[in-house]
Amino acid sequence: MTVFSHPEFDNHEKVLFGSDAESGLKAIIAIHLSARGPALGGCRFWNYGTDEEALRDVLRLSRGMTYKSALANLPYGGGKSVIIGDARKLKSEALFRAMGRLVDSLGGAYIVAEDVGISVEDLEVMARETDHVAGIPEGGVGDPSPATAYGVYHGIRAAVKHRLGRDDLNGLTVAVQGLGQVGQHLCAYLAEAGARLIVADLDQERVQRIVDAHGAKTLPAGEITFAQADVFAPCALGAIIDDASLERLQAPIVAGSANNQLSEARHGEALRNQGILYAPDYVINAGGIINIHHETKPGRPPYDKAKALERIAGIHETLLEIFSLAEREGIATSHAADRLAEQRFRAPPNQAAA
Ligand code: NAD
């Protein structure tokens, strides 16, 4: 397994491999860049086929967090961690304590949060060994999903303004794929704003709940991507935009919470060529991390929900800036977002980030 010549290696500042024989912990923590502050990012517990796959994921995801925090103007760098193995078999107090100690060994250079396979309870166990944990209820704000949904809602508003020239969503149709933690809250915001909903989920109970609550129409899960709608909001899977789906996409806007929506980077350009406005995923889904930033910590003011929500609503302005840049330069919105983030990487966060 190579590290420095790995295709996903991007001059990451630190890559820490850690293990604990007693609990079976095998973990990697990657810090991509810390010029803006400590590296904040989730811990993913996943049964990777090989160590190489785990390394690839942690290098890629930590780099992504650098971009996300920079564009959200947060005083953080990019970091991520992975625990390798079958979470159903391996989860134990000893393992999460060992992970907490591994995080602590970096002395605050990495702050761990939730990701796939990790619950708030697991984070709480890590927090017995380290102070460098974000997103737990004690002193923290807990589940980031409602905040993420709020940011996606404002992102959709920005995309509608830019692409359709409208300041409101009244009467517009939004197709929402995935009615989980984020999707269900997003539907509530959209319905409140007068949007018509078409929804799909693999779980029919979730679908029924949204039908009952908001009078949504439904489509089979395999059809929602191609709905006749003003906005397609992917809130389930990644890699939803690929050569095949591009042929059948109807909506002029793609704006949702799912991570890594583009199957490959070139699909950003393909969306642009088809006249479809894409709200880059890591910009529109930053509400959760912005909210976490506002959580109560020693030396920080108490959590102020109104302030956090105001900050999250700022995703609207950031996206408008990205859309304008893309238009001016004749580039994909995904490239414009990367470019803007790269400009901010090494700049200290401005006052608003405090
Ligand atoms: P979740 O697991 O709670 O919900 C996902 C939902 O999608 C589930 O209800 C699932 O049944 C459904 N689904 C899966 N495959 C589907 C398919 N083919 N068609 C239709 N529905 C399908 O996840 P979540 O927390 O709501 O996150 C949704 C997406 O947003 C993920 O990609 C996640 O990485 C991303 N995201 C979430 C947050 C957050 O705060 N939760 C933050 C940033 C990004």
Side-chain angles (χ1 to χ4, degrees):
M1 183 169 62
T2 57
V3 179
F4 296 120
S5 55
H6 193 287
E8 298 289 346
F9 181 75
D10 180 43
N11 292 309
H12 288 67
E13 289 175 9
K14 283 192 181 128
V15 182
L16 174 68
F17 293 79
S19 72
D20 176 64
E22 211 166 296
S23 63
L25 176 76
K26 287 197 189 81
I28 313 175
I29 300 176
I31 296 178
H32 175 245
L33 195 73
S34 59
R36 295 177 64 88
L40 174 67
C43 175
R44 180 168 288 190
F45 203 146
W46 194 254
N47 203 2
Y48 294 99
T50 61
D51 295 354
E52 165 77 27
E53 275 177 35
L55 178 66
R56 180 179 180 277
D57 220 21
V58 80
L59 289 176
R60 195 176 54 88
L61 293 168
S62 57
R63 179 173 181 270
M65 289 306 296
T66 301
Y67 283 74
K68 187 169 189 162
S69 282
L71 268 188
N73 196 26
L74 294 173
Y76 303 115
K80 203 87 182 184
S81 57
V82 293
I83 299 178
I84 302 167
D86 185 343
R88 283 168 306 177
K89 291 187 191 145
L90 274 178
K91 273 196 178 191
S92 70
E93 180 180 345
L95 180 131
F96 289 121
R97 280 191 166 237
M99 185 63 191
R101 289 193 295 276
L102 192 67
V103 170
D104 205 57
S105 72
L106 288 166
Y110 170 64
I111 302 169
V112 64
E114 230 182 299
D115 199 82
V116 179
I118 294 287
S119 66
V120 171
E121 291 72 32
D122 302 333
L123 284 182
E124 282 171 335
V125 179
M126 292 185 210
R128 292 183 206 149
E129 301 284 350
T130 180
D131 287 338
H132 310 298
V133 179
I136 49 177
E138 196 190 332
V141 291
D143 178 13
S145 310
T148 301
Y150 188 65
V152 173
Y153 162 66
H154 282 285
I156 289 175
R157 285 186 47 242
V160 163
K161 185 174 176 63
H162 185 86
R163 180 66 173 77
L164 306 178
R166 286 188 48 166
D167 283 318
D168 67 279
L169 303 183
N170 203 16
L172 293 182
T173 302
V174 184
V176 182
Q177 178 188 46
L179 305 170
Q181 308 280 17
V182 178
Q184 55 177 299
H185 290 290
L186 175 63
C187 285
Y189 284 122
L190 293 170
E192 169 89 30
R196 299 195 181 110
L197 299 174
I198 308 177
V199 298
D201 197 291
L202 300 178
D203 179 336
Q204 287 315 306
E205 262 178 46
R206 290 184 172 181
V207 172
Q208 196 54 50
R209 240 181 281 147
I210 300 297
V211 169
D212 293 345
H214 309 300
K217 293 194 173 137
T218 66
L219 272 178
E223 289 302 312
I224 190 76
T225 311
F226 317 115
Q228 286 283 357
D230 298 293
V231 180
F232 168 53
C235 299
L237 313 166
I240 193 74
I241 305 297
D242 59 16
D243 293 341
S245 65
L246 270 164
E247 276 183 20
R248 294 182 57 204
L249 258 177
Q250 305 287 324
I253 292 169
V254 174
S257 75
N259 275 316
N260 302 319
Q261 289 170 33
L262 304 180
S263 183
E264 294 171 44
R266 68 183 170 86
H267 292 120
E269 191 60 40
L271 281 165
R272 188 179 99 85
N273 291 340
Q274 277 183 222
I276 297 171
L277 182 68
Y278 168 60
D281 45 17
Y282 69 82
V283 184
I284 194 171
N285 71 18
I289 191 176
I290 296 173
N291 200 44
I292 281 176
H293 169 64
H294 282 263
E295 73 185 9
T296 308
K297 279 273 169 204
R300 284 192 54 80
Y303 178 63
D304 179 342
K305 188 172 178 186
K307 195 171 169 207
L309 291 180
E310 189 188 320
R311 188 76 188 277
I312 293 165
I315 287 174
H316 182 272
E317 293 311 308
T318 306
L319 279 171
L320 287 179
E321 196 179 340
I322 288 165
F323 297 151
S324 302
L325 175 65
E327 209 163 75
R328 261 196 330 273
E329 304 279 325
I331 56 175
T333 53
S334 46
H335 293 161
D338 289 354
R339 206 182 273 184
L340 207 58
E342 282 155 13
Q343 282 169 15
R344 292 186 185 177
F345 272 4
R346 286 167 215 285
N350 73 19
Q351 276 311 95

